[in-house]
Amino acid sequence: FQFAFSQAGSQAGQSVQKSGQAATGDGIHAVRSFSPVAGHVGETLSLMFTGVNIFEGVTTVNFGQGIIVNSVKSVDPTHTAITITIPDTAAVGVRSIIIKNNISGGGAITLSNVFTVGYPAPVLQSIEPSIIERGTSASVVVKGNNFLQGATTVNLGSNVIVNSVQRLSATELQVDVTVPADVQTGARTVTVTN
């Protein structure tokens, strides 16, 4: 039989261009909005916060365990650019953001459940070999992008047994399969999911 392929991924990891609304403050901070409100593992992302009293060199921002805040830069008195890195090991799900001024009387606020971390959609480029004999086992190399350690799964269609998926890199998977002798011949859809 022969492979065709498709892709699937988490909607939470898709690019989002809406603003997070957080009309909250502690008398010192006031965050009116920020954008984007979602990112995916393996991504470095720049967010723009609109609000007051977020200061470069004084304010710290925390997106929760596993997310690295690279920089907090004042753009003007009401806009702050914050660059973060979401490593492959970061947990997916909804996050709260803590903004704190590290000076005496500086104050802090928590924006609860306003940022979502998801998986990126995998991108498929090739599958080798593209033909496997019935009644055999083989290693299939899947090439593409956004393959994640421990999160990427592969389906080679009805009755084809996936014995293991090994992530060789973010761009390559080794998939060990068994094709039973009684499997119907013909093209198959390969689905890779994060």
Side-chain angles (χ1 to χ4, degrees):
F1 62 95
Q2 189 172 4
F3 296 121
F5 54 88
S6 65
Q7 58 194 39
S10 167
Q11 290 300 315
Q14 304 305 313
S15 178
V16 177
Q17 292 301 320
K18 63 182 181 175
S19 292
Q21 300 300 318
T24 186
D26 59 1
I28 297 170
H29 301 89
V31 176
R32 290 192 297 271
S33 67
F34 69 96
S35 177
V37 296
H40 57 75
V41 297
E43 178 177 43
T44 295
L45 186 65
S46 183
L47 296 96
M48 183 62 66
F49 280 69
T50 302
V52 295
N53 297 328
I54 302 174
F55 303 106
E56 186 174 334
V58 174
T59 303
T60 58
V61 182
N62 185 326
F63 285 78
Q65 185 174 357
I67 296 182
I68 301 161
V69 177
N70 301 316
S71 66
V72 176
K73 298 205 181 272
S74 297
V75 176
D76 62 42
T78 61
H79 294 91
T80 304
I82 299 173
T83 304
I84 63 172
T85 298
I86 307 170
D88 287 346
T89 56
V92 297
V94 179
R95 304 288 187 105
S96 296
I97 302 171
I98 300 169
I99 301 172
K100 180 179 180 184
N101 281 347
N102 294 313
I103 57 174
S104 178
I109 59 171
T110 299
L111 309 175
S112 298
N113 303 318
V114 294
F115 187 79
T116 302
V117 175
Y119 292 127
V123 177
L124 301 178
Q125 295 172 338
S126 67
I127 299 168
E128 298 172 19
S130 62
I131 298 174
I132 301 175
E133 296 289 325
R134 292 187 300 172
T136 64
S137 294
S139 289
V140 176
V141 175
V142 178
K143 293 185 180 181
N145 287 304
N146 298 331
F147 301 146
L148 304 174
Q149 186 69 43
T152 302
T153 61
V154 178
N155 182 317
L156 299 172
S158 179
N159 298 323
V160 176
I161 301 162
V162 175
N163 299 312
S164 67
V165 177
Q166 181 181 2
R167 179 185 180 265
L168 302 176
S169 70
T171 61
E172 191 170 275
L173 301 172
Q174 179 178 315
V175 184
D176 293 329
V177 301
T178 299
V179 181
D182 61 348
V183 166
Q184 185 174 356
T185 60
R188 298 292 179 115
T189 298
V190 176
T191 304
V192 176
T193 306
N194 282 338

